[in-house]
Amino acid sequence: MDISFAIVTCSDTRGLAEDEAGAALTALIEGAGWSVCSHVVVPDDTREISLAIRAATDERGADIVLTCGGTGLSPRDVTPEATAAVCERDVPGIAEAIRAYSLAKTRRAMLSRARCMQRAVRGEDGLPMGKLALVINFPGSTKAARECWDAIADQLEHAMQMSRGGGH
């Protein structure tokens, strides 16, 4: 199944060249036979993150958007709120699976506020096109992003099949 990904890294201090977590995810995505249609770094700002998610799905055609960073307890960690601002449907099981997998590696995984949600992709007129994209919040560290990928990668094809109206 062809799946197109976008990576949105949320960081006030790193640019695209320094985005090791995003680069690691790109390699994992391409290694699985899928493609990356967009990779951007945006400031830790609710509006900027929301705009990047919207652009990834509506303009770049991403089926799945992986955000990196901004999921912790710091006042600047606003990625879950930015995700909720542009998405309509919670998919809590994916975020729960990531936390459960990560808890086996570090107890600090319980501090994650990461979310997974579906967004109705919109056309130029702003109206829904009948397509659902998946937005998944990952942590910003390279090691943690790889671990989160390992936790869910084997279910992404089925998730997209169902998002596209396929059966179970």
Side-chain angles (χ1 to χ4, degrees):
M1 170 181 281
D2 183 39
I3 302 174
S4 178
F5 286 78
I7 299 168
V8 175
T9 297
C10 311
S11 175
D12 286 332
T13 59
R14 288 181 287 179
L16 198 55
E18 297 90 20
D19 182 16
E20 294 178 13
L25 288 172
T26 296
L28 291 167
I29 291 163
E30 291 174 350
W34 298 318
S35 62
V36 176
C37 65
S38 176
H39 181 186
V40 298
V41 176
V42 298
D44 289 310
D45 175 82
T46 305
R47 183 176 184 279
E48 293 293 325
I49 298 166
S50 292
L51 287 172
I53 292 169
R54 189 178 303 144
T57 60
D58 299 2
E59 297 168 20
R60 307 293 267 159
D63 298 305
I64 299 176
V65 179
L66 302 179
T67 66
C68 291
T71 60
L73 300 178
S74 162
R76 297 287 295 154
D77 290 336
V78 296
T79 304
E81 290 78 14
T83 300
V86 293
C87 294
E88 297 81 21
R89 294 170 35 144
D90 269 317
V91 186
I94 292 176
E96 292 165 4
I98 289 171
R99 272 188 283 280
Y101 186 88
S102 298
L103 270 169
K105 300 181 181 311
T106 176
R107 300 267 302 140
R108 291 191 177 163
M110 71 176 72
L111 303 177
S112 171
R113 299 180 318 106
R115 295 183 82 167
C116 177
M117 298 186 77
Q118 284 182 311
R119 171 176 167 71
V121 178
R122 289 165 176 75
E124 289 182 22
D125 57 5
L127 297 175
M129 298 172 53
K131 176 182 174 187
L132 295 172
L134 200 57
V135 181
I136 308 169
N137 299 159
F138 277 16
S141 85
T142 304
K143 180 181 181 292
R146 282 188 183 118
E147 289 171 358
C148 291
W149 174 263
D150 290 344
I152 63 167
D154 67 336
Q155 296 305 308
L156 295 177
E157 191 168 299
H158 186 65
M160 286 315 316
Q161 178 183 356
M162 290 180 9
S163 293
R164 292 174 180 171
H168 296 277

